[in-house]
Amino acid sequence: MIIGLDHVGLATADPAGAGSLLALLGLSLEDQGTAADYGVECEFWTPAKGGPTVELVSPRDDDTAVNGRLARKEQGLYHVAFEVDHLEGELDRLGREGFVLVDQEPRAGARSGMRVAFLYARRPAGLLIELVEYRRPDVPS
């Protein structure tokens, strides 16, 4: 089941500049990490009153999907991420509903305990969606 909106991902080749913009808007850098399977560096910026974060996604490697996107389009909205309670179950369900699975299996995300999988909704929005599940240390796998 989808629990809620986790974050909105922005693709950028200039994370320092984009971070400065987010700071001017009142967001604070909460967390950062590497999603090695995707070849990207990520920063998570949080609004003052909490809630969903803004993730800055920048290429770490030359042959990443983010690099391809930055080469084709301007920087900006990359994906919308929803937290789920059972990643494999939602990936299977949404695949049956016609979403295009970018990831057939979950992968490690950029945050500690984060597992992710991407899928694509061609119609009506042409939107890349990330499903996110957090494995809490006190919860068995």
Side-chain angles (χ1 to χ4, degrees), residues 13-79:
D14 180 13
S20 294
L21 173 67
L22 293 176
L24 287 172
L25 293 171
L27 283 77
S28 300
L29 180 61
E30 173 190 315
D31 200 3
Q32 55 192 4
T34 300
D37 285 351
Y38 299 103
V40 296
E41 299 290 338
C42 304
E43 295 180 356
F44 295 89
W45 291 77
T46 304
K49 291 188 176 185
T53 59
V54 175
E55 177 189 27
L56 296 180
V57 182
S58 57
R60 183 188 74 174
D61 301 334
D62 292 335
D63 60 344
T64 67
V66 172
N67 263 336
R69 183 168 183 112
L70 292 172
R72 290 187 311 272
K73 298 171 69 171
E74 290 189 27
Q75 303 178 96
L77 180 63
Y78 184 48
H79 65 267

Side-chain angles (χ1 to χ4, degrees), residues 7 14 24 32 36-37 44 59 67 75 77 79 81-82 88 93-94 101 104 111-112 121 129-130:
H7 66 269
D14 180 13
L24 287 172
Q32 55 192 4
D37 285 351
F44 295 89
N67 263 336
Q75 303 178 96
L77 180 63
H79 65 267
F82 295 96
E88 289 86 353
R93 180 183 74 83
L94 293 171
L101 302 184
Q104 301 297 316
R111 292 175 135 171
S112 177
I129 296 171
E130 181 181 17

